[in-house]
Amino acid sequence: MDKLVVEGGCKLNGNVCVSGAKNACLPILAAVLLTDDECVISNVPDLKDVTTMLKILGALGRRVEREGAVVRVSAGSVTNVTAAYELVSTMRASIAVLGPLVAKYGRAKVSFPGGCVIGPRPIDLHLKGLRALGAEIKVQEGYILAEVKRLKGKRIYLGGHFGSSVLATANTLMAAVLAEGKTIIENAACEPEISDLINFLILMGAEISGNGTPTLKINGVLKLKGAEYSVIPDRVETGTYMIAAAATGGCVFIENAKPEHNAALIDKLLEAGVVVKEHSGGVEVCRGKDRLNAVDITTLTYPGFPTDLQAQMMSLTSVSNGISVITEKIYPERFIHISELNRMGANILLEGATAIIKGVRSLSGAPVMASDLRASAALVIAALVAEGKTEISRIYHLDRGYEHLEEKLSGLGARVKRIDG
Ligand code: EPU
């Protein structure tokens, strides 16, 4: 298994270009199933999760070609409606094919995605949305079986214990666009990735209003057409480079970034004493002072502070001046990085879903293990800050969500290399 070896103590400086958003691209690729026409999606990042989604489309019978950041799904119909365990079990976002399949073909068989290292990840809201639209759903031998003649529009409240759900909103929305009549989704997720999906669906001929708000109104249509679409830049990748720049004390310009998608992060970085300059073509981040201030963070649904940047901010606050408090309100168990950061000399205590971080002056390199995608990014940031060498194992997690990570970091002056381990 590959390892990442990082020699710490280097300030990141220079320009880095952000890739297309993984979490926008995955449901958009699933939405292609809603039409038999050709679709061309560009700004698609070269990531393992994207490859998995393309394999799923292929296994369903669609012809997929990829050239650089452009994916072409040829005109044609699916030849079967089963998304098998072997693929779905490697990526939860595979569940996004459920809504399109049942809406277009009236049948779907999708493996139950199961739990994951960041805590329980139920799918009750996905099923609630589809059932409300009239789908008969049962779970059998580890598969979700959905069937319906034609879905029927309905008013649906899609909130759960932790608020709105990104992929349940995507699934319900993708089903509703081909349903008969009008659907209203209340408490829809407002994440930019959902807005991107809506823009793509509208281009395909869907009738949706309320984009960017928690109330989506959809007039079902009989048929959607093919479309060409470019995916938005990745706000989590952007945020990760912003935090890395601030943590290492350098000055980095992140090209193509949309700072308006990172407002909550920018607010916290400014509070910490980081200098952030927003430009139309990207965002520039420089460390404003020798030691940054402690900050308190609570993760929330958009536009609140994203859970996908919680771990990276924990690395930054590990070496800030004072005590920071980070509370996780989306995935209360998403703290697996704490023990690894403490191995590197951080002083972090976990109390329920709240981490108390007593800032230390420095971290020291150590062998550590990546556990999930964003926790791995947090370890990379900690390793860049630390004195000495850090060896991060199980970095296949990083390949799921960060395109060309070593190349991008090396371009900013980091001493990073991948070795076969
Ligand atoms: N939830 C339910 N029931 C459901 C679905 C979700 O209770 O049926 C709960 C979850 O357990 C969680 C909360 O609702 O507590 C929010 O989860 P959500 O459904 O919004 O997460 P998701 O759609 O499965 C997406 C991203 C995640 C990101 C979350 C939250 C994709 C492919 N994944 O997941 O990204 O953390 O939204 O913003 O879009 C990542 O990229 O590393 C990642 C994990």
Side-chain angles (χ1 to χ4, degrees):
M1 245 179 272
D2 287 1
K3 286 182 180 172
L4 209 62
V5 180
V6 182
E7 286 285 347
C10 250
K11 293 181 178 181
L12 297 189
N13 277 303
N15 286 21
V16 64
C17 190
V18 70
S19 302
K22 165 179 86 79
N23 291 347
C25 174
L26 295 173
I28 284 174
L29 286 170
V32 165
L33 294 169
L34 289 163
T35 180
D36 286 343
D37 294 349
E38 179 183 80
C39 288
V40 181
I41 314 297
S42 54
N43 205 24
V44 175
D46 181 13
L47 298 172
K48 194 142 173 288
D49 278 6
V50 171
T51 308
T52 305
M53 184 55 90
L54 299 183
K55 277 187 190 160
I56 291 176
L57 296 183
L60 292 170
R62 295 298 298 263
R63 214 168 82 96
V64 179
E65 279 167 84
R66 179 178 190 145
E67 219 183 295
V70 179
V71 167
R72 187 178 298 272
V73 183
S74 308
S77 197
V78 308
T79 49
N80 82 88
V81 291
T82 303
Y85 174 77
E86 292 66 35
L87 288 170
V88 176
S89 61
T90 65
M91 180 184 77
R92 286 188 54 88
S94 324
I95 186 84
V97 300
L98 182 62
L101 284 177
V102 75
K104 175 124 182 10
Y105 299 97
R107 270 178 328 119
K109 182 175 173 190
V110 178
S111 172
F112 204 95
C116 122
V117 71
I118 63 176
R121 297 185 67 183
I123 55 159
D124 55 308
L125 294 174
H126 298 244
L127 304 189
K128 180 180 177 182
L130 296 178
R131 280 195 174 115
L133 295 172
E136 288 278 338
I137 295 182
K138 51 186 180 193
V139 176
Q140 215 171 24
E141 293 167 352
Y143 279 81
I144 304 150
L145 307 176
E147 225 176 273
V148 70
K149 245 202 172 104
R150 182 166 178 213
L151 296 169
K152 277 206 171 65
K154 184 100 189 268
R155 176 188 289 271
I156 308 163
Y157 180 81
L158 211 56
H161 187 67
F162 296 96
S164 58
S165 156
V166 176
L167 285 175
T169 300
N171 248 330
T172 310
L173 178 64
M174 290 189 281
V177 290
L178 286 183
E180 184 187 337
K182 187 169 176 172
T183 297
I184 299 177
I185 306 177
E186 306 272 20
N187 208 356
C190 299
E191 271 69 4
E193 294 75 20
I194 291 294
S195 288
D196 211 32
L197 172 65
I198 292 175
N199 288 334
F200 176 57
L201 291 170
I202 289 174
L203 215 57
M204 294 173 86
E207 293 178 15
I208 305 167
S209 63
N211 193 356
T213 79
T215 305
L216 298 176
K217 294 186 179 154
I218 303 121
N219 273 325
V221 295
L222 273 175
K223 208 169 169 231
L224 293 179
K225 57 181 190 295
E228 291 193 13
Y229 193 74
S230 179
V231 174
I232 51 166
D234 196 311
R235 68 189 165 107
V236 183
E237 189 197 17
T238 300
T240 302
Y241 284 107
M242 290 171 74
I243 297 167
T248 59
C251 214
V252 171
F253 181 69
I254 300 145
E255 284 171 39
N256 284 351
K258 280 189 181 292
E260 63 271 30
H261 290 169
N262 280 106
L265 171 67
I266 291 173
D267 185 57
K268 285 297 159 190
L269 289 177
L270 292 173
E271 193 182 324
V274 178
V275 178
V276 182
K277 288 187 192 146
E278 299 184 23
H279 303 276
S280 57
V283 62
E284 186 184 348
V285 176
C286 301
R287 165 89 73 86
K289 56 199 286 193
D290 184 36
R291 258 188 108 192
L292 295 173
N293 311 321
V295 286
D296 294 341
I297 293 171
T298 300
T299 64
L300 292 167
T301 54
Y302 191 83
F305 193 94
T307 173
D308 289 343
L309 290 172
Q310 177 258 108
Q312 299 89 318
M313 277 304 273
M314 200 171 298
S315 295
L316 178 111
T317 51
S318 289
V319 286
S320 295
N321 191 16
I323 299 177
S324 301
V325 176
I326 299 186
T327 301
E328 181 51 73
K329 292 262 191 188
I330 307 294
Y331 297 115
E333 294 174 25
R334 196 178 201 176
F335 286 115
I336 206 138
H337 40 285
I338 291 182
S339 53
E340 300 303 284
L341 290 175
N342 282 345
R343 278 174 68 76
M344 299 177 73
N347 185 352
I348 308 170
L349 186 78
L350 186 61
E351 276 282 329
T354 296
I356 299 152
I357 304 120
K358 294 183 184 158
V360 294
R361 283 219 154 254
S362 62
L363 298 175
S364 69
V368 289
M369 199 177 278
S371 52
D372 83 86
L373 173 55
R374 309 306 174 188
S376 311
L379 293 180
V380 172
I381 293 172
L384 290 168
V385 171
E387 289 164 9
K389 185 168 94 175
T390 298
E391 248 186 54
I392 308 172
S393 54
R394 298 204 181 164
I395 55 154
Y396 53 84
H397 293 289
L398 284 167
D399 299 330
R400 291 189 37 224
Y402 290 94
E403 187 178 50
H404 307 147
L405 180 76
E406 304 99 273
E407 290 88 333
K408 289 188 184 186
L409 284 175
S410 302
L412 294 172
R415 291 172 300 208
V416 179
K417 65 171 190 270
R418 186 184 285 247
I419 54 166
D420 291 338

